[in-house]
Amino acid sequence: MYSVSHYFRISFFLLAGMSILLLAGCRTEPYPKDFEQLSEDERIVIRFSHVVGEDTPKGLAARKFAQLVKERSNGYVEVQVFPNGFLYKDGEEMEALLNGDVQMIAPATSKVTSLIPEWSVMDLPFAFNSYEEVHQYINGPAGKKLISMFDSHGLQMLGLWDNGFKQMTNRNFPIHTPEDLRQLRMRIMPSEIISKQFLVSGAIPKEIDFNIVFHHLENGDVDGQENTLSNIASKNLHLLQNYLTISNHGYLGYVLLVNKEFWEDLPESVRDLIADALLEVSEWEWKNAHKLNAEKLDELERCKCIDIYHLTEEDRKLWEQSFQPVYEYYEDRFGTEYIKALPKNKKEAD
């Protein structure tokens, strides 16, 4: 025989259990407000891999994006940022994204040209005079067509972050004219158009991953390189070079890419949250990139640790004329559509 207290305990637990079930059935939210208590399997995790330092425009923006998404989703969506090629190196991250090993990357525009060669229009020398012109181009018909090309490769482009305009450094002598590049071994990013621009100047282009450029400069494997001021300073490349030419000869930006299958599987509310966060961060990143590059130039001028030369307007005209064969090479491969849409060519047509 069971005692009255025994039946009372059973009744209590049954009522408690029914109350919990009733409360659960009345919940409008499937999870508690603070999602950080959930395991990684229960949250949405986005692994964001990139190859530059944390104090660069891309590195800072990636961290801000991760923080914003975490706050606005109450921890339900977590962006895990892996900088400095920690997960995947320069030539590895695209394959990792396509395979779903990471969900998001932000490669330089030149890095996507192996997948979509038409994107090398962004690498054409002196194609853009300002960041505004770049954004205008990407948001125009030609840019939208370039963006749509990612779809057939299983990728979704979510935006474009600025890094800056590229400058040239070397250890041998000042670079004032295209002739000064002759026989110089110059590190470049993987891009057929960038390679062509140095070849027509008589230089010897060397494709080297960004994370090991310092090592190759230190060993004397290359004489110089081209990059933005923030990248040059963050990797201390200027400490191994004697001369810096402020040429602004090419734009360097980052394409924000996600795995398309992963993106389409996300709830619409999460996609909206990410898109809104990226829009806000992108506007912040553009301003910060411009400011950071200006600050780095000021630091380099004050340190007197490298000889700095600024191209004059006359210099620039000479450089543009010398690079005309690069434009002709692009046109032979892809036609005139993307070149005619460049802001400077549209102005001439108007």
Side-chain angles (χ1 to χ4, degrees), residues 114-230:
S114 59
L115 198 66
I116 308 172
E118 290 86 347
W119 264 87
S120 58
V121 68
M122 304 297 292
D123 290 330
L124 286 170
F126 300 104
F128 304 98
N129 293 314
S130 67
Y131 298 103
E132 290 74 22
E133 286 189 354
V134 173
H135 300 159
Q136 176 188 340
Y137 184 80
I138 288 297
N139 290 321
K144 289 177 180 177
K145 187 172 180 180
L146 289 171
I147 292 171
S148 68
M149 292 180 178
F150 286 112
D151 293 347
S152 60
H153 294 280
L155 300 171
Q156 179 85 24
M157 179 174 163
L158 299 182
L160 181 77
W161 285 351
D162 294 336
N163 184 321
F165 282 88
K166 294 182 290 184
Q167 325 300 341
M168 291 177 283
T169 69
N170 95 103
R171 62 180 182 173
N172 298 346
F173 42 76
I175 298 174
H176 294 178
T177 70
E179 283 291 320
D180 295 328
L181 283 173
R182 192 166 298 280
Q183 295 304 308
L184 283 181
R185 296 167 299 169
M186 297 290 289
R187 179 268 169 178
I188 65 168
M189 291 182 288
S191 165
E192 192 174 5
I193 288 297
I194 295 178
S195 179
K196 190 71 176 176
Q197 91 179 29
F198 280 98
L199 285 172
V200 300
S201 301
I204 305 167
K206 301 280 188 180
E207 293 185 3
I208 297 173
D209 287 353
F210 179 66
N211 288 307
I212 55 175
V213 173
F214 187 95
H215 172 73
H216 283 270
L217 288 172
E218 191 174 36
N219 287 350
D221 301 328
V222 288
D223 303 304
Q225 57 87 49
E226 60 161 9
N227 225 310
T228 62
L229 291 165
S230 61

Side-chain angles (χ1 to χ4, degrees), residues 15-285:
L15 287 170
M18 290 175 66
S19 298
I20 291 171
L21 288 172
L22 286 170
L23 286 171
C26 294
R27 289 187 64 89
T28 58
E29 298 178 0
Y31 296 106
K33 288 185 178 180
D34 182 7
F35 294 104
E36 289 190 37
Q37 62 187 280
L38 302 176
S39 70
E40 188 170 295
D41 291 336
E42 294 174 299
R43 287 178 282 121
I44 293 175
V45 176
I46 300 173
R47 291 176 176 82
F48 185 172
S49 174
H50 68 80
V51 300
V52 299
E54 291 185 283
D55 57 348
T56 59
K58 178 164 62 173
L60 293 168
R63 285 163 53 193
K64 186 175 181 66
F65 169 60
Q67 179 183 2
L68 206 58
V69 168
K70 182 178 181 179
E71 289 173 355
R72 292 184 178 178
S73 68
N74 294 317
Y76 179 47
V77 184
E78 180 184 1
V79 179
Q80 298 175 351
V81 180
F82 299 91
N84 285 309
F86 180 80
L87 280 185
Y88 296 99
K89 302 289 188 293
D90 252 351
E92 303 171 344
E93 58 179 10
M94 183 65 75
E95 184 179 356
L97 181 66
L98 292 169
N99 291 338
D101 297 325
V102 293
Q103 289 72 47
M104 189 171 184
I105 63 174
T109 51
S110 66
K111 303 287 176 58
V112 304
T113 60
S114 59
L115 198 66
I116 308 172
E118 290 86 347
W119 264 87
S120 58
V121 68
M122 304 297 292
D123 290 330
L124 286 170
F126 300 104
F128 304 98
N129 293 314
S130 67
Y131 298 103
E132 290 74 22
E133 286 189 354
V134 173
H135 300 159
Q136 176 188 340
Y137 184 80
I138 288 297
N139 290 321
K144 289 177 180 177
K145 187 172 180 180
L146 289 171
I147 292 171
S148 68
M149 292 180 178
F150 286 112
D151 293 347
S152 60
H153 294 280
L155 300 171
Q156 179 85 24
M157 179 174 163
L158 299 182
L160 181 77
W161 285 351
D162 294 336
N163 184 321
F165 282 88
K166 294 182 290 184
Q167 325 300 341
M168 291 177 283
T169 69
N170 95 103
R171 62 180 182 173
N172 298 346
F173 42 76
I175 298 174
H176 294 178
T177 70
E179 283 291 320
D180 295 328
L181 283 173
R182 192 166 298 280
Q183 295 304 308
L184 283 181
R185 296 167 299 169
M186 297 290 289
R187 179 268 169 178
I188 65 168
M189 291 182 288
S191 165
E192 192 174 5
I193 288 297
I194 295 178
S195 179
K196 190 71 176 176
Q197 91 179 29
F198 280 98
L199 285 172
V200 300
S201 301
I204 305 167
K206 301 280 188 180
E207 293 185 3
I208 297 173
D209 287 353
F210 179 66
N211 288 307
I212 55 175
V213 173
F214 187 95
H215 172 73
H216 283 270
L217 288 172
E218 191 174 36
N219 287 350
D221 301 328
V222 288
D223 303 304
Q225 57 87 49
E226 60 161 9
N227 225 310
T228 62
L229 291 165
S230 61
N231 279 355
I232 291 169
S234 70
K235 290 294 186 182
N236 291 317
L237 303 183
H238 60 288
L239 300 180
L240 303 174
Q241 304 276 267
N242 296 319
Y243 304 97
L244 166 64
T245 301
I246 303 300
S247 54
N248 294 317
H249 63 277
Y251 169 77
L252 174 55
Y254 301 117
V255 183
L256 293 164
L257 297 174
V258 293
N259 182 290
K260 189 173 180 65
E261 183 179 358
F262 170 80
W263 178 253
E264 292 179 344
D265 283 345
L266 291 175
E268 185 178 355
S269 60
V270 172
R271 292 200 302 268
D272 290 342
L273 184 151
I274 292 171
D276 289 344
L278 276 177
L279 182 62
E280 182 175 327
V281 172
S282 293
E283 291 177 354
W284 174 88
E285 191 275 342

